[in-house]
Amino acid sequence: NVNISRSESFVDNKYFSSKKLKYTTLSPTKTERDDWKIDLKLGDSEIELFIMKDHPERLSPEAYGLRHLAFRVESVDDTVSELEAMGIACEPIRHDTYTGEKMTFFRDPDGLPLEIHE
């Protein structure tokens, strides 16, 4: 389970997760604090997305308790092409200094970094 959103926009985050990243929405739920919780699934992977109504302003993703979320893909080149075709800007592809594999980043609707890595 991962808390990956600070946005107040349920619509923006649900659209980005389901239409752009192709996750299936399992159960959007309004929490007791009036926030949204969305369970998302893609293959064997599941993500729990929280959309907070009143969140404190922070300066960086690390301040949210999240450095970034990484997705392993078969082809970074193909995934970048798919993302850019949907209007999602990606950083230039580079090679991970530890694994030597291709990797890059793109941003969610809140501007938080998401990594794709071979």
Side-chain angles (χ1 to χ4, degrees), residues 9-27:
S9 175
F10 174 84
V11 173
D12 289 347
N13 280 286
K14 186 173 183 291
Y15 177 81
F16 182 78
S17 299
S18 63
K19 300 299 183 199
K20 302 276 183 164
L21 299 183
K22 308 295 185 205
Y23 275 79
T24 300
T25 302
L26 299 177
S27 59

Side-chain angles (χ1 to χ4, degrees), residues 33-44:
R33 294 188 319 210
D34 204 30
D35 298 330
W36 280 101
K37 175 184 165 292
I38 307 172
D39 294 316
L40 303 164
K41 184 173 179 75
L42 179 65
D44 293 332

